[in-house]
Amino acid sequence: MAHSEIYILGIESSCDDTSAAVSCNTQVLSNVISTQKIHELYGGVVPELASRAHMQNIIPVVHEAITKAGISLDKIDAIAFTRGPGLLGSLLVGTSFAKALSLALEKPIIDVHHMKAHILAHFIDNEDNNKPSFPFLCLTVSGGHTQIVKVTSFYDFEILGSTIDDAAGEAFDKCAKIMGLPYPGGPLIDKYAQIGDDKRFQFNKPQVVGFDFSFSGLKTSFLYFIDKEKKKNPQFIDENLHDLCASLQKTIIEILIQKLELASEKTGIKTVAIAGGVSANSGLRNRLKSYEQDKEWKVFIPEFQFCTDNAGMIAVTGYFNYLDNRFVDQSVQASARISEW
Ligand code: KG4
Ligand code: ZN
């Protein structure tokens, strides 16, 4: 018989955030995130610098997570870590740390798939304790992924559609860079879009069959458009920043929502969730919320702190794997690309 309270230490280091969290069952007791500011200078994540920063951050971040949770390390039942997908050098830091701590504490380790964890963040306890019921559709939108996933249990995920080129977060970040905004540009576009006119500029939407997405065409047409306008007026971006951001954001949201609508129609599933960094976008959140009335969808949107990369979602995913005895041994290896789900 399992104990009723399972404590998991979660470790996340797949990209440029070093994070550690402690969960007790589906409750997150602490969730410490150290965001690496250094990449802002380079307009994107520099893998080598990310690995180095993870090495510096991991011990203090874990220490803080344990302290904030108000427990001692020996109370932990297992250590869950992100095995992939992500940047290999970054993943290696979290994976090696988890393995070493497992040996020192004599506690089991659990490997976690980063994108599944983004989805299972919906099962973290929240104020109204509103959680999706199976099956549901999840639009996972981050800096590296854009997918529609059909989720039938904590362990069964089916990818219905994916991007054939750039991810939605990449589209935000690359277009932000074209406008001279620092990395990551997604949150800034969201901010400037708030008071912009989203009908001011029109951008082409891709024609991709089925549930797949494409964003590279939008990025290229945005680049040409900006170049052309800047030749006529060098101040074009500054003078139109809010309207540009609002129009661009609306186009990205429409590309995402159209496919989600199609997936809901074809599968008959009306329980719909969003996950991943781009689910922090206020335009996307509001648009989806409106579908609760317009389309009678049940919509699930994670709390902000669990949208972008965080170890809370790793710990809670680890908890579900713990319940099903899904442990790994010391031979486990970090993997930048994990094809099977
Ligand atoms: O999930 P995440 O933190 O890291 C990855 O696994 O990629 O997602 C990061 C992505 C970045 O592209 C960032 O620009 C985007 O999420 N993002 C946003 C917003 N907040 C984060 N994009 C649009 N609006 C936001 N509010
Ligand atoms: Zn992520």
Side-chain angles (χ1 to χ4, degrees):
M1 186 58 202
H3 350 228
S4 52
E5 289 189 332
I6 306 297
Y7 290 90
I8 309 279
L9 170 66
I11 313 263
E12 155 65 30
S13 72
S14 65
C15 191
D16 58 340
D17 296 304
T18 316
S19 180
V22 175
S23 62
C24 176
N25 298 355
T26 49
Q27 188 189 356
V28 172
L29 303 178
S30 64
N31 185 35
V32 179
I33 305 170
S34 166
T35 302
Q36 304 174 1
K37 291 276 169 215
I38 179 119
H39 308 290
E40 279 176 16
L41 299 171
Y42 298 90
V45 178
V46 184
E48 175 72 21
L49 296 178
S51 323
R52 285 167 193 246
H54 283 306
M55 286 199 291
Q56 283 175 346
N57 295 342
I58 191 115
I59 290 176
V61 164
V62 169
H63 184 73
E64 194 181 333
I66 296 284
T67 312
K68 282 200 171 147
I71 61 160
S72 58
L73 257 183
D74 59 352
K75 208 140 183 229
I76 295 291
D77 292 288
I79 302 151
F81 66 96
T82 307
R83 185 167 80 85
L87 299 170
L88 188 63
S90 292
L91 292 163
L92 274 171
V93 178
T95 305
S96 306
F97 182 87
K99 286 201 222 180
L101 192 62
S102 146
L103 286 175
L105 296 176
E106 295 183 18
K107 304 283 180 181
I109 39 173
I110 298 166
D111 67 326
V112 169
H113 187 296
H114 181 83
M115 295 313 295
K116 288 184 187 174
H118 269 303
I119 296 174
L120 296 181
H122 283 283
F123 296 92
I124 296 172
D125 293 355
N126 54 38
E127 262 173 26
D128 24 284
N129 252 347
N130 198 10
K131 299 179 183 180
S133 53
F134 300 114
F136 66 92
L137 295 178
C138 190
L139 174 70
T140 57
V141 269
S142 71
H145 291 80
T146 300
Q147 290 162 326
I148 297 178
V149 184
K150 181 179 164 188
V151 189
T152 42
S153 82
F154 297 121
Y155 314 104
D156 295 298
F157 303 80
E158 184 192 345
I159 299 170
L160 302 182
S162 307
T163 179
I164 56 170
D165 41 56
D166 291 349
E170 234 176 324
F172 272 108
D173 297 340
K174 286 181 177 171
C175 291
K177 196 171 175 181
I178 293 168
M179 291 188 283
L181 300 175
Y183 177 86
L188 292 170
I189 291 184
D190 189 356
K191 185 174 135 201
Y192 295 130
Q194 310 272 339
I195 53 162
D197 174 2
D198 64 7
K199 295 181 195 70
R200 175 84 189 285
F201 303 108
Q202 310 294 322
F203 302 111
N204 285 345
K205 280 183 252 149
Q207 306 294 325
V208 185
V209 291
F211 304 133
D212 287 340
F213 302 91
S214 166
F215 289 100
S216 70
L218 173 63
K219 173 195 64 193
T220 310
S221 69
F222 188 73
L223 176 67
Y224 289 155
F225 171 73
I226 294 283
D227 277 354
K228 195 181 77 196
E229 294 299 327
K230 266 180 27 187
K231 281 196 188 114
K232 291 190 260 172
N233 170 14
Q235 306 306 319
F236 178 75
I237 296 176
D238 286 349
E239 286 169 10
N240 297 284
L241 187 62
H242 294 100
D243 294 347
L244 279 169
C245 289
S247 304
L248 178 71
Q249 175 169 300
K250 181 176 163 232
T251 310
I252 296 175
I253 292 171
E254 274 176 2
I255 297 170
L256 293 170
I257 292 279
Q258 269 176 6
K259 294 299 173 124
L260 199 53
E261 266 181 45
L262 185 69
S264 169
E265 270 167 33
K266 296 271 181 207
T267 59
I269 298 173
K270 289 184 157 225
T271 304
V272 178
I274 47 171
V278 180
S279 61
N281 183 268
S282 55
L284 181 60
R285 295 165 85 95
N286 292 338
R287 180 73 182 266
L288 267 177
K289 272 277 157 210
S290 74
Y291 278 39
E292 291 202 318
Q293 305 234 297
D294 299 354
K295 294 196 172 281
E296 296 183 339
W297 282 8
K298 283 204 179 91
V299 173
F300 293 86
I301 298 171
E303 265 180 54
F304 277 112
Q305 63 162 327
F306 300 121
C307 284
T308 43
D309 289 348
N310 68 88
M313 67 184 193
I314 304 300
V316 168
T317 303
Y319 167 68
F320 292 120
N321 287 350
Y322 183 101
L323 294 181
D324 202 43
N325 288 315
R326 295 177 183 230
F327 301 106
V328 287
D329 62 30
Q330 286 284 331
S331 67
V332 66
Q333 287 182 15
S335 173
R337 296 180 174 274
I338 304 181
S339 49
E340 88 286 358
W341 264 57

